[in-house]
Amino acid sequence: MKLFAHFFNPIADRHRFKIRWQTFFPIFLIVGAFLVINGLTLLEFPRIHSDELWLLGTAEAFMHEGTFKVTEPFFDLYPRVIHPFRWLYLLMESGVISILGNTAFAMRFLSLLAASAALIAFYKTALTRFSNTSGGHLIASVLTIVLALNVQWLYASRFGRQDMIILMLVLIGFFSLSRPNGKAWFPALLVCLGIGVHPNSFLIAAVFFAVMGIQVLSGKRPLRSLVTFFALVASGAALYLIIGYRWNPHLLSEYFSYGASLGIEIQATSRLTGFFWFWYKLYYRIGGTYDLFDIRTELTVFTAALAVSVCLLTVYFLRRQNHSEIDLSALQMDTAAFIALLAGLLIIGRYNQTSVVFLFPFGLLLTASALQSLFKLTGRFLPSDMRAQIASAKWTYILCGLLVSLSLLGLRQDLQSYFDAQPYQRGYAETLAALHEIIPADAIQLSNINVIEGFDPYAFYDIRNLALLEENGLSLSEYIEARGIEYIVLHDEMGYMEQTSPRWDFIYGTLDFMPALHAFIDERTTLVAAIDDPTYGMRIAKYVGTYPWETRIYRVLPDESKNE
């Protein structure tokens, strides 16, 4: 009877159900609203970026060739490297494409799904921070809403790149490490999976290693756990390198060479200088083709939270005997994770402006933990009635309501500023419809990959190849004739960049080929159409939609000299 009562205890069952309902209902409601609202407006913000179409074309090539050794077919001169560092991303993306089609929407939907899973992991992590606090579920829910309403988070969630998948993995692993008796093999597995999404998954390893190291030093995790994690990650990395060298004997030399072309610095002084300018440009919104938002408030708050956390932890460890009853393990973890992310960005040296999103969930957790720890350490000096009043439910509700209201107002202002800065606008679907009305889907064309959707990636050559003509001993006419190019699609941005060269040469490479391209267009093509393209005829972010830019379509004529 006791055994029967253990399994069928109505009171215990109701209690467990109530706890689960309080735990899961808020996050399901938040994530459900996040998915629906963003899914219905996925192509409206931000504008489609060529990075997304770049990955779309690569995924199409993978599905066509059925091998992970695939490279981008639209880059035949632009350097590419055969490597195993995106097999998982190709599998995930091909799965979504097979359901939703070869579209930018499919690329973005995968990021949106990853962002939703990341929000769940963030919520669960926040719950571990406030589980013993009055209104802990409410605080965790509000922190999650604040993150979901952040414009930088929304930008990454609706951007078809690998960033959000990596962030999902690191937040899942961070949550697992926040729980008692978290196993070492699980974060190691996430790191190895992350390497199959993008090599920047070193950031994941840096965060996990730092957090586990802090746990070892504070006696909350045995040293063998950290050793196991390191051994598993090292074994996984070695396996990737073995596979990579079997596919490509020049893997590392080609990869480092390609990284140098992207601006990845090797020298320590250059990395430090680049690190400073990375944050300077983010703060003052100085960029190239990526949309930059006003995140000065967040950066200031996160910096202050980091400074407060370091001071609190220093005081805590210097006078530990006076604070033995206070547990600051959450603050230690959040501080270690935040610093590890900064160190990881510095060590990698690839200062891509989209990577700033990695700091936002950890900065938010760090800020919340810093405030909570500050109250723990200083609350004893306050009168008991004041301490009780501050911790009361009323003030919790007021503060949470204020945070959500400010987040909504901030997002509204950010989006309004974004669209107000683009008085001339044209949707991506309209641009594609105009191009497809003129150019057959299987026609061979020289164009920009930001309009590759719906065209055959094996009959598409990107404009970036032209910067490498001289290096490959080719003239422009030889390149076009050898590939049987039938159409040339030219955005107005090319003319603007040529006029202001070399300021924007980092986007497409040196523009020395432009005079030859103009000559070829004058002598060997006929203008088919000039379409209004204020959004996609210019990729420099601060000029997008600021002028009625155009995209011109030329049809290549036969070379009459060969018929003489």
Side-chain angles (χ1 to χ4, degrees):
M1 290 298 293
K2 290 183 179 180
L3 181 63
F4 181 83
H6 174 75
F7 286 105
F8 300 95
N9 187 333
I11 297 177
D13 288 343
R14 281 197 299 269
H15 180 66
R16 282 194 295 268
F17 178 79
K18 182 179 180 180
I19 293 176
R20 289 173 182 172
W21 175 262
Q22 290 176 341
T23 301
F24 293 107
F25 177 73
I27 190 59
F28 286 157
L29 189 62
I30 295 168
V31 170
F34 180 81
L35 262 176
V36 171
I37 295 172
N38 285 285
L40 293 175
T41 59
L42 202 51
L43 296 181
E44 296 179 18
F45 168 82
R47 62 189 170 87
I48 306 296
H49 194 277
S50 63
D51 284 6
E52 302 174 82
L53 284 308
W54 183 327
L55 292 168
L56 173 64
T58 307
E60 288 185 75
F62 165 70
M63 296 174 71
H64 179 266
E65 298 185 21
T67 174
F68 293 117
K69 293 188 285 186
V70 69
T71 59
E72 297 82 341
F74 39 81
F75 290 139
D76 58 343
L77 298 184
Y78 189 80
R80 302 307 298 148
V81 182
I82 296 175
H83 62 78
F85 305 132
R86 61 183 174 198
W87 69 269
L88 181 57
Y89 183 74
L90 290 174
L91 276 181
M92 297 171 73
E93 196 52 64
S94 61
V96 176
I97 286 176
S98 64
I99 298 172
L100 300 178
N102 302 334
T103 63
F105 181 87
M107 303 295 296
R108 293 191 162 189
F109 193 72
L110 177 59
S111 292
L112 185 61
L113 290 176
S116 301
L119 284 176
I120 295 174
F122 177 85
Y123 171 79
K124 296 287 288 181
T125 304
L127 268 183
T128 65
R129 304 294 187 266
F130 300 97
S131 58
N132 297 322
T133 303
S134 176
H137 290 89
L138 176 62
I139 296 173
S141 299
V142 168
L143 288 175
T144 306
I145 293 172
V146 170
L147 180 60
L149 293 177
N150 181 269
V151 70
Q152 196 71 46
W153 178 273
L154 280 180
Y155 181 75
S157 302
R158 300 161 66 101
F159 199 101
R161 281 171 49 109
Q162 300 103 315
D163 303 82
M164 196 49 74
I165 298 174
I166 297 174
L167 192 45
M168 173 192 71
L169 294 174
V170 72
L171 283 172
I172 291 174
F174 191 62
F175 166 64
S176 74
L177 292 175
S178 299
R179 304 176 67 187
N181 303 319
K183 303 300 181 182
W185 65 267
F186 184 66
L189 174 63
L190 293 177
V191 173
C192 294
L193 290 175
I195 298 174
V197 174
H198 195 280
N200 275 2
S201 293
F202 171 78
L203 286 173
I204 304 178
V207 170
F208 294 166
F209 188 82
V211 170
M212 295 177 72
I214 286 293
Q215 290 175 332
V216 169
L217 291 175
S218 59
K220 296 184 179 298
R221 179 180 293 276
L223 178 61
R224 67 175 180 276
S225 180
L226 183 62
V227 173
T228 300
F229 170 79
F230 183 82
L232 291 174
V233 170
S235 300
L239 181 60
Y240 272 104
L241 288 176
I242 291 171
I243 295 173
Y245 270 106
R246 287 182 64 89
W247 290 359
N248 180 4
H250 308 288
L251 173 67
L252 288 183
S253 60
E254 290 183 1
Y255 211 83
F256 286 135
S257 176
Y258 178 65
S261 71
L262 295 177
I264 297 178
E265 301 289 351
I266 296 178
Q267 296 183 350
T269 54
S270 298
R271 291 195 178 213
L272 287 171
T273 303
F275 192 66
F276 167 79
W277 287 112
F278 170 68
W279 294 108
Y280 180 89
K281 291 179 179 180
L282 280 172
Y283 192 85
Y284 290 103
R285 302 174 69 182
I286 302 171
T289 63
Y290 296 112
D291 295 309
L292 299 180
F293 304 94
D294 188 356
I295 56 174
R296 289 175 295 179
T297 300
E298 291 90 335
L299 294 180
T300 302
V301 169
F302 296 162
T303 303
L306 179 61
V308 169
S309 300
V310 171
C311 291
L312 286 175
L313 290 173
T314 302
V315 171
Y316 175 75
F317 282 110
L318 289 177
R319 306 182 63 182
R320 188 180 306 181
Q321 67 278 6
N322 297 332
H323 307 292
S324 58
E325 76 284 3
I326 298 176
D327 183 13
L328 294 186
S329 57
L331 183 64
Q332 295 172 29
M333 288 181 60
D334 296 340
T335 305
F338 196 84
I339 293 175
L341 281 172
L342 293 174
L345 289 172
L346 176 62
I347 293 171
I348 291 174
R350 174 75 170 106
Y351 303 125
N352 189 305
Q353 290 169 325
T354 62
S355 61
V356 70
V357 72
F358 290 102
L359 293 178
F360 277 70
F362 291 95
L364 199 54
L365 287 172
L366 177 64
T367 303
S369 293
L371 291 173
Q372 183 187 47
S373 301
L374 185 63
F375 180 74
K376 285 181 179 179
L377 288 172
T378 61
R380 66 175 65 190
F381 302 111
L382 298 174
S384 58
D385 56 338
M386 183 181 295
R387 191 164 61 246
Q389 188 176 12
I390 293 174
S392 66
K394 181 183 76 171
W395 285 104
T396 301
Y397 291 139
I398 291 174
L399 180 60
C400 288
L402 182 63
L403 284 174
V404 172
S405 299
L406 289 175
S407 298
L408 284 169
L409 289 173
L411 177 60
R412 181 180 180 277
Q413 182 177 349
D414 287 328
L415 294 179
Q416 185 173 344
S417 299
Y418 176 83
F419 289 108
D420 286 349
Q422 303 174 27
Y424 301 92
Q425 295 183 23
R426 188 173 192 181
Y428 189 63
E430 296 175 84
T431 295
L432 285 181
L435 291 173
H436 281 278
E437 187 177 343
I438 299 166
I439 306 175
D442 59 348
I444 304 174
Q445 62 178 296
L446 174 65
S447 184
N448 190 302
I449 52 174
N450 71 337
V451 292
I452 196 175
E453 181 179 316
F455 292 109
D456 182 359
Y458 289 90
F460 197 104
Y461 295 93
D462 184 73
I463 200 79
R464 293 167 179 80
N465 293 306
L466 301 187
L468 299 161
L469 288 173
E470 184 177 351
E471 183 178 322
N472 287 271
L474 291 171
S475 68
L476 180 70
S477 59
E478 290 172 341
Y479 180 85
I480 292 174
E481 290 169 3
R483 287 147 185 81
I485 291 173
E486 303 167 80
Y487 290 89
I488 297 176
V489 180
L490 202 61
H491 295 324
D492 268 356
E493 65 170 359
M494 299 305 297
Y496 176 81
M497 291 182 189
E498 181 185 13
Q499 293 173 8
T500 57
S501 181
R503 182 180 181 184
W504 301 104
D505 284 6
F506 67 90
I507 295 178
Y508 295 115
T510 177
L511 299 178
D512 294 343
F513 62 86
M514 286 300 293
L517 181 59
H518 290 312
F520 185 90
I521 286 174
D522 291 340
E523 299 169 7
R524 293 281 310 279
T525 72
T526 182
L527 179 64
V528 179
I531 64 172
D532 294 331
D533 200 7
T535 303
Y536 295 96
M538 167 59 71
R539 290 187 57 237
I540 302 173
K542 68 177 181 177
Y543 299 135
V544 171
T546 60
Y547 182 82
W549 307 105
E550 291 185 339
T551 292
R552 292 174 173 79
I553 305 169
Y554 302 91
R555 185 171 62 247
V556 178
L557 301 175
D559 187 358
E560 295 182 358
S561 64
K562 293 186 177 181
N563 298 326
E564 296 178 356

